[in-house]
Amino acid sequence: MNTVKKVKITPADKVLNLEKYIFVELDELKAQARKRGIDLIDLGIGNPDRPTADYIVKETIKSIKNPKNHGYPNFRGKDEFQVAIKEWMAKRYDVKLDDDFIAQAVNGGKEGIAHATLAFTNPGDINIIPDPYYPVFSRATKVACGEVYYVPLSEENDFLPDLNSIPQEIAQKAKIFIINYPNNPTGAVVTKEFLEDLVKFCRENEILIISDLAYGEICYDGYRALSIFSIEGAKDVALEIHTCSKTFNMAGWRVGFVLGKKEFIDTVFAMKINFDYGTSTIMQDAAIAAMRMPYKYVEATMKKYQQRRDYLVKELRELGWHVRMPKATMYLWIKVPEGMSSREFCTMVMDKTGVVFTPGIAFGAGSEGYVRVSLVQDEKKLREAVKRLKEAGIRYK
Ligand SMILES: *Cc1c(COP(=O)(O)O)cnc(C)c1O
């Protein structure tokens, strides 16, 4: 008798308990729309549409051709990478980092956030995350079997978390406070006063700040983003996340760094080393080239985004939409019409016009009622999108 025993191998609870990644769901919706013959204009994604500067590509090719770079990389990030980072922080953020500061090279900011969160979160710990949030903020906490305390961000508060609203017992128990300014998806920027209050709050309650500066350079109208390390006392309580993805149109290259005092970076290192062998020397060289290239290349990208922002805000306002003019990031964060969920609104717009937005709900339960519109298509595509929205009469009363 051939009785084969039935075998069942179940995933870990931490995997089963993760909700579906909403961007995966959106991809499915887009694929279905395409099948129905709808020509999509995707303003839903956060992927820069412009190519990496030639200068960076050329420097990277030199690095690829050097056989010395074909072995395992320096795990932390080679000396020149460390030096280039300190120059960059001084030049762009007016922050002088002393010798106790070090960077950990990472394969993109997302990985850096995940490993930093894992490295500091015990099961049952509470991490404070403003809602809306970038999905990895809460997911990494859940993978670490920690719990999330969400602080709502509201338009009335300029999308800054109200620290006074956090109950004292949460503040005392909390381990990590993650912030992201300039903010995806709201486009909000931070004030120095807020950062000072946050550092004070986190010092008092012994909470680690993870400041995600992914959009540190995507700023308009002369606005400059702030590094957490420009705040006195931040060094003892903060890590900062940087990435080449948005600043240098290098999302596909996968390189960034986590910055902080050595003791913290040693902890991130101790976690991360169990997962990978670091960031390839070639990508470290690419990042060095990017940080050292003439700044006009970055400015050219910003100018493009700024033109798109000005155009879209003007046109959408003409349609009666309630749109804030963001000082930073490549996103518009827009209220959906009364009586519609963000998902319903996005599906309706996609069906009628082929224009894709991201429903706010992708960024947390507190983000219902909004949609995110990305500035990642060229002028021609944006004009076409506006034309279709006008023709379909998607306006507010
Ligand atoms: C894009 C993004 C990142 C980082 O992305 P990487 O490509 O992994 O560097 C981090 N945080 C936010 C809020 C982002 O939008």
Side-chain angles (χ1 to χ4, degrees):
M1 271 266 281
N2 188 8
T3 49
V4 181
K5 192 170 166 280
K6 212 168 173 209
V7 184
K8 188 163 185 250
I9 296 171
T10 48
D13 291 343
K14 61 176 76 166
V15 174
L16 292 175
N17 292 342
L18 290 169
E19 30 327 336
K20 194 167 173 184
Y21 211 80
I22 200 141
F23 290 95
V24 174
E25 191 187 317
L26 274 179
D27 283 345
E28 287 163 11
L29 278 179
K30 284 190 265 181
Q32 286 167 16
R34 278 197 193 97
K35 253 197 216 139
R36 276 179 279 136
I38 299 178
D39 168 35
L40 298 181
I41 300 177
D42 198 344
L43 306 183
I45 45 170
N47 193 0
D49 61 306
R50 289 168 44 87
T52 305
D54 238 13
Y55 176 85
I56 300 171
V57 174
K58 285 191 179 128
E59 291 297 307
T60 309
I61 289 171
K62 281 189 214 158
S63 176
I64 293 175
K65 287 185 172 167
N66 184 348
K68 276 204 199 123
N69 298 338
H70 297 173
Y72 287 116
N74 178 318
F75 189 91
R76 285 275 164 116
K78 63 185 202 173
D79 290 348
E80 200 188 351
F81 184 69
Q82 301 287 346
V83 170
I85 287 167
K86 289 197 174 178
E87 288 168 7
W88 170 257
M89 292 303 294
K91 182 172 71 176
R92 297 303 304 158
Y93 296 96
D94 206 15
V95 169
K96 213 175 157 298
L97 300 172
D98 61 38
D99 291 342
D100 191 32
F101 270 95
I102 186 170
Q104 170 65 56
V106 289
N107 303 321
K110 184 175 179 182
E111 185 250 289
I113 294 159
H115 280 135
T117 303
L118 285 177
F120 284 93
T121 307
N122 275 320
D125 277 352
I126 295 174
N127 293 340
I128 301 175
I129 296 171
D131 179 1
Y133 55 88
Y134 189 58
V136 73
F137 298 170
S138 73
R139 286 167 173 268
T141 297
K142 288 175 187 168
V143 170
C145 300
E147 284 171 34
V148 180
Y149 179 82
Y150 295 104
V151 199
L153 299 182
S154 68
E155 202 158 338
E156 299 77 60
N157 247 348
D158 291 324
F159 298 109
L160 294 175
D162 178 2
L163 300 178
N164 294 321
S165 76
I166 299 168
Q168 205 169 5
E169 64 274 17
I170 298 287
Q172 281 166 357
K173 267 195 81 181
K175 194 65 195 288
I176 298 177
F177 199 136
I178 308 187
I179 58 159
N180 164 230
Y181 292 100
N183 183 258
N184 174 13
T186 66
V189 297
V190 84
T191 58
K192 186 148 197 217
E193 294 66 42
F194 172 78
L195 288 183
E196 284 166 352
D197 290 347
L198 180 71
V199 167
K200 186 159 168 271
F201 177 88
C202 289
R203 288 185 68 99
E204 273 167 19
N205 294 294
E206 304 194 312
I207 299 171
L208 174 72
I209 299 168
I210 297 180
S211 175
D212 176 2
L213 209 55
Y215 296 92
E217 298 296 321
I218 320 285
C219 299
Y220 313 116
D221 308 330
Y223 172 77
R224 287 292 310 140
L226 293 165
S227 163
I228 190 83
F229 298 123
S230 64
I231 307 299
E232 206 185 318
K235 177 181 166 179
D236 302 322
V237 289
L239 285 172
E240 191 163 80
I241 309 290
H242 289 255
T243 169
C244 292
S245 291
K246 316 288 163 45
T247 306
F248 303 111
N249 300 322
M250 289 170 71
W253 297 53
R254 313 309 306 138
V255 58
F257 56 91
V258 181
L259 190 60
K261 70 170 173 178
K262 187 166 175 304
E263 179 195 327
F264 289 161
I265 297 296
D266 284 348
T267 306
V268 176
F269 176 95
M271 172 57 67
K272 179 175 154 63
I273 197 147
N274 307 296
F275 290 82
D276 60 61
Y277 276 110
T279 297
S280 98
T281 311
I282 294 154
M283 288 307 139
Q284 292 183 41
D285 284 342
I288 293 166
M291 287 187 280
R292 287 183 171 165
M293 79 179 168
Y295 197 72
K296 63 171 195 239
Y297 291 107
V298 179
E299 272 166 352
T301 298
M302 297 321 132
K303 207 175 248 167
K304 273 266 177 291
Y305 285 139
Q306 185 161 333
Q307 283 164 358
R308 295 172 185 180
R309 176 200 68 161
D310 293 346
Y311 171 75
L312 259 193
V313 168
K314 180 176 149 280
E315 294 289 339
L316 295 179
R317 280 179 179 168
E318 271 174 26
L319 270 170
W321 296 31
H322 166 82
V323 190
R324 281 162 62 103
M325 180 72 88
K327 278 206 188 70
T329 76
M330 43 208 216
Y331 308 112
L332 307 179
W333 185 237
I334 303 176
K335 262 201 180 122
V336 304
E338 288 295 326
M340 246 189 192
S341 77
S342 62
R343 229 196 211 96
E344 284 164 353
F345 182 65
C346 288
T347 310
M348 185 271 282
V349 172
M350 179 153 59
D351 284 346
K352 280 194 176 168
T353 67
V355 178
V356 182
F357 301 147
T358 307
I361 195 78
F363 306 96
S367 314
E368 186 47 278
Y370 285 86
V371 291
R372 190 189 73 175
V373 180
S374 303
L375 306 171
V376 292
Q377 297 285 357
D378 63 24
E379 293 55 37
K380 201 169 145 233
K381 279 267 168 63
L382 290 183
R383 274 201 298 275
E384 173 66 20
V386 165
K387 186 171 147 253
R388 291 190 198 174
L389 292 171
K390 283 190 173 162
E391 280 169 5
I394 304 202
R395 49 178 79 241
Y396 289 41
K397 274 280 151 336

